[in-house]
Amino acid sequence: MKDLQETYDYLKQFLTEERLAKIEHYSLESSDFVLPVLEDIYQFRNAAAIVRSVEACAFHKVVALEKDNIFDPNLTVTKGAQTWVEVEKMPAELSSIQSIKERGYKILAVSPEHNATMLPDYEIKEPIALVFGTEWQGVSEEILNFADETLAIPMYGFTKSFNVSVAAAICMYELKQKLIHSNIPYKLSDEKRLKMKIRWAVNSIRSGEEIYKRFLENRN
């Protein structure tokens, strides 16, 4: 923690007062209690819209499972959200889902199959990895069979599914509200929050990566 704090204190000198105040303010609500996992999303506008919704709800990280498509959000749609949201890319394989589960996440596939629980009725009690499938096929059968549970959004018209980016936005917002109104300690630990603030600072500074790298080299 001491090294992390020293690093952040060094980077702060390159930030404007306004940017530093925003980093401090918005980091307080950040959480990794819900981890969106995106399975081979191929429309860049959908990718960008999901990143934007994730950031708006202060979850600040997504996992992109890549197989046939590169996860490449459209920066004109994210409205700067890519500065704040960490994207971890993994191969679209069951082993990736297994590794996420080993981090302590319950695997929750967003799909009406397998006796899905409706989103309004879902009780969030533990960290969840929320898996969204491809635009046309939904969550793959392999992941559906592996998932601990499935989650569905109630539909009231002839249309039987939302666009994946809309579904993600609905789920992120609804789950955020459930956490806010719970007694669950869902926010980041002090160490995780500090690491995130360092990443945000680096992304906010012109030539931030070079400045950060040089600082680490000089310290060592």
Side-chain angles (χ1 to χ4, degrees), residues 20-39:
L20 179 58
K22 286 183 176 181
I23 287 175
E24 291 293 337
H25 175 74
Y26 291 113
S27 67
L28 291 172
E29 188 58 39
S30 189
S31 171
D32 59 359
F33 207 83
V34 176
L35 178 66
V37 178
L38 315 176
E39 186 183 9

Side-chain angles (χ1 to χ4, degrees), residues 57 81 83-84 89 114 137 139 143-144 155-156 185 192 206 214 219:
C57 293
T83 301
W84 315 114
K89 295 186 176 184
H114 297 200
Q137 297 179 337
V139 180
I143 293 179
L144 277 176
M155 307 296 298
Y156 303 104
K192 286 183 177 180
R206 181 174 295 182
R214 189 160 58 247
R219 189 174 65 185

Side-chain angles (χ1 to χ4, degrees), residues 10-191:
Y10 174 78
L11 293 172
K12 285 194 295 187
Q13 68 181 302
F14 300 99
L15 299 170
T16 64
E17 289 185 9
E18 181 182 11
R19 179 51 62 96
L20 179 58
K22 286 183 176 181
I23 287 175
E24 291 293 337
H25 175 74
Y26 291 113
S27 67
L28 291 172
E29 188 58 39
S30 189
S31 171
D32 59 359
F33 207 83
V34 176
L35 178 66
V37 178
L38 315 176
E39 186 183 9
D40 210 28
I41 300 295
Y42 64 85
Q43 292 185 354
F44 61 85
R45 290 187 179 274
N46 282 335
I50 293 170
V51 168
R52 187 173 175 180
S53 296
V54 168
E55 199 289 318
C57 293
F59 290 116
H60 292 131
K61 180 171 182 176
V62 301
V63 172
L65 303 179
E66 295 181 333
K67 183 179 181 182
D68 299 320
N69 307 288
I70 300 299
F71 187 81
D72 186 21
N74 183 338
L75 301 186
T76 63
V77 179
T78 58
K79 300 295 183 181
Q82 77 284 350
T83 301
W84 315 114
V85 177
E86 178 186 358
V87 177
E88 179 183 0
K89 295 186 176 184
M90 304 176 74
E93 301 171 355
L94 198 57
S95 59
S96 297
I97 299 295
Q98 178 66 50
S99 70
I100 293 171
K101 186 178 178 68
E102 290 171 358
R103 298 179 194 177
Y105 285 97
K106 183 176 186 178
I107 307 300
L108 198 61
V110 179
S111 176
E113 287 89 357
H114 297 200
N115 298 314
T117 301
M118 290 297 164
L119 178 60
D121 300 326
Y122 185 75
E123 294 185 27
I124 184 167
K125 299 177 180 179
E126 59 192 306
I128 59 172
L130 202 60
V131 184
F132 297 92
T134 60
E135 285 88 342
W136 295 109
Q137 297 179 337
V139 180
S140 65
E141 193 66 28
E142 187 177 38
I143 293 179
L144 277 176
N145 291 332
F146 181 83
D148 297 299
E149 288 187 52
T150 53
L151 185 72
I153 302 171
M155 307 296 298
Y156 303 104
F158 290 104
T159 303
K160 295 305 177 186
S161 65
F162 285 107
N163 171 279
V164 65
S165 64
V166 175
I170 292 171
C171 289
M172 292 297 105
Y173 186 82
E174 180 74 13
L175 291 168
K176 180 69 173 185
Q177 296 306 305
K178 289 177 183 290
L179 288 172
I180 289 173
H181 295 99
S182 74
N183 294 318
I184 297 171
Y186 66 89
K187 297 180 183 180
L188 292 180
S189 66
D190 290 342
E191 182 175 356

